[in-house]
Amino acid sequence: VVSLRPCRAFNPVLYTLMSNTLRPYLNCVKATLDAALCLRFSPSHTVERHDKPEVEIQSGKELQQNPITICRTKHERCLIEPSINSTRISIRMKQEDSDPIEIILCRKFLRFLMQRAEDYVVMRRVPLEGYSISFLITDKHLERLPKRRIVDFIVHFMEEADKEISEMKISMNARGRLVATEFMQAF
């Protein structure tokens, strides 16, 4: 079961800010995922009674589709690799153009999530090279869960991860400022 955190109360200011920068990117990812998740059962062509994700083993070009890269910025992007029975979604969070604190927070946060990959049915433990986090969706996932719910989970994850990293950075800066003022009061 794909678990989602409870939604926060609607904040029109945050929604307006997000709609100007993040919303078109997420809408494009959502529409592309909706099209890419038309998966069906396809047994292995080499081994009998095996059903492996074709996007992982890449046994034949006829079973693969063209990968799609959606970029928000120079360093933030999403790679969607569809095949006949599985789709791999790799997301690169903002890291390169950020300050060192944001890079550390992003890596620690995503590593924390990937260590708990079994709690999220579609998350991979190891991301694709050059990406922050990866998801693998197979035809078996679509048999158990509605496609709309999986797409909404991925988009919601991207939205919340971005917010969470920004909130952690603001909180850390506020704590640092408080510690610095307490330390300077001694002089």
Side-chain angles (χ1 to χ4, degrees):
V1 175
V2 176
S3 61
L4 295 176
R5 290 187 353 202
C7 294
R8 296 182 182 148
F10 177 72
N11 185 345
V13 175
L14 256 177
Y15 186 78
T16 306
L17 277 173
M18 188 183 65
S19 65
N20 291 337
T21 60
L22 187 61
R23 185 55 56 193
Y25 173 65
L26 293 178
N27 286 342
C28 186
V29 169
K30 188 175 189 173
T32 307
L33 278 176
D34 198 36
L37 288 179
C38 295
L39 308 176
R40 66 182 181 92
F41 175 76
S42 175
S44 174
H45 292 273
T46 56
V47 181
E48 207 173 310
R49 295 185 181 182
H50 279 251
D51 180 23
K52 302 279 185 189
E54 285 296 328
V55 75
E56 294 283 325
I57 59 171
Q58 299 181 353
S59 64
K61 288 188 177 184
E62 68 276 357
L63 303 174
Q64 304 283 324
Q65 296 177 11
N66 293 333
I68 303 159
T69 303
I70 304 168
C71 297
R72 179 180 177 201
T73 63
K74 182 179 173 185
H75 301 289
E76 236 178 310
R77 62 182 176 263
C78 175
L79 174 68
I80 301 171
E81 300 172 282
S83 71
I84 193 165
N85 67 350
S86 58
T87 299
R88 181 170 48 202
I89 300 121
S90 301
I91 303 166
R92 183 174 180 148
M93 300 287 182
K94 55 182 176 182
Q95 290 181 8
E96 298 296 324
D97 56 347
S98 305
D99 61 342
I101 291 173
E102 197 164 346
I103 293 171
I104 292 168
L105 287 174
C106 185
R107 285 186 185 154
K108 295 286 185 186
F109 177 68
L110 294 174
R111 197 175 101 212
F112 172 82
L113 288 175
M114 284 186 286
Q115 287 175 344
R116 288 146 185 85
E118 63 272 353
D119 294 339
Y120 302 95
V121 177
V122 295
M123 189 179 292
R124 295 179 74 222
R125 281 198 177 274
V126 179
L128 199 62
E129 185 70 32
Y131 288 88
S132 305
I133 195 160
S134 292
F135 297 93
L136 178 67
I137 301 167
T138 63
D139 60 324
K140 302 261 189 282
H141 294 124
L142 291 176
E143 289 173 1
R144 290 186 288 154
L145 298 166
K147 179 169 74 168
R148 176 62 45 204
R149 189 169 173 192
I150 293 175
V151 170
D152 288 343
F153 169 73
I154 300 289
V155 171
H156 184 74
F157 175 84
M158 292 171 72
E159 186 179 343
E160 288 296 315
D162 193 54
K163 275 193 240 177
E164 194 72 32
I165 291 166
S166 298
E167 287 173 5
M168 283 191 296
K169 181 181 173 188
I170 291 169
S171 172
M172 192 168 135
N173 286 338
R175 283 190 316 203
R177 197 173 307 115
L178 182 66
V179 167
T181 54
E182 287 294 322
F183 178 74
M184 295 306 278
Q185 284 177 353
F187 299 107

